[in-house]
Amino acid sequence: MQTMSPKVPDESTVDFTLCPRFEQTFSFLGKKWNGLIIDVLLHEGPQRFRDLARKVPRCSDRVLVERLKELEANGVIVRRTFQDNALIEYELTQKGQEFKDIMAAVHAWSDKWYCPTETNQK
């Protein structure tokens, strides 16, 4: 009769338990409009609220305000108020700028694999 020794985990085995940081990042980026707002700021630079609202037209002003506050609270954007207080701009921080390669990869993947016929028309 053969005796079975306990299986020793292979050191090259990857632990796929969900890392809290990974989960938070995907939750943050996956929140409706966050990715698009970041993308606009990456490509267009600093934007006034009305310009962002025009470039993200399906997002209500109320939700856009919420998302901008959340992005600011997470250190991804900075809200700049100029001396006359009539001009307020939103700009990516260094932390926000570091989404550049990630967003480029998402665009490349979607250009290659996304099929427009699979669109959920809600």
Side-chain angles (χ1 to χ4, degrees), residues 73-84:
N74 281 282
V76 173
I77 66 169
V78 63
R79 179 181 186 263
R80 296 188 193 271
T81 306
F82 292 84
Q83 287 178 348
D84 63 3

Side-chain angles (χ1 to χ4, degrees), residues 7-74:
K7 189 171 184 177
V8 178
D10 183 324
E11 286 184 22
S12 65
T13 303
V14 178
D15 179 9
F16 286 105
T17 55
L18 199 53
C19 167
R21 290 180 182 160
F22 183 85
E23 183 178 12
Q24 284 179 306
T25 301
F26 264 85
S27 177
F28 176 74
L29 281 178
K31 196 167 205 175
K32 195 166 187 176
W33 309 117
N34 279 359
L36 185 55
I37 294 166
I38 291 168
D39 208 33
V40 167
L41 294 171
L42 279 169
H43 287 89
E44 303 290 325
Q47 299 287 302
R48 295 180 77 171
F49 181 87
R50 68 176 181 196
D51 297 325
L52 276 170
R54 194 172 59 248
K55 291 172 183 169
V56 187
R58 292 178 50 205
C59 181
S60 71
D61 286 353
R62 182 186 61 79
V63 172
L64 183 56
V65 167
E66 284 178 19
R67 295 301 176 263
L68 290 170
K69 285 180 179 179
E70 180 181 8
L71 289 165
E72 186 178 15
N74 281 282

Side-chain angles (χ1 to χ4, degrees), residues 79-107:
R79 179 181 186 263
R80 296 188 193 271
T81 306
F82 292 84
Q83 287 178 348
D84 63 3
N85 286 334
L87 178 61
I88 297 172
E89 284 186 338
Y90 296 90
E91 182 177 9
L92 290 171
T93 61
Q94 179 62 39
K95 183 178 179 180
Q97 288 288 338
E98 291 195 19
F99 280 113
K100 185 177 181 177
D101 292 340
I102 295 165
M103 297 305 278
V106 169
H107 280 289

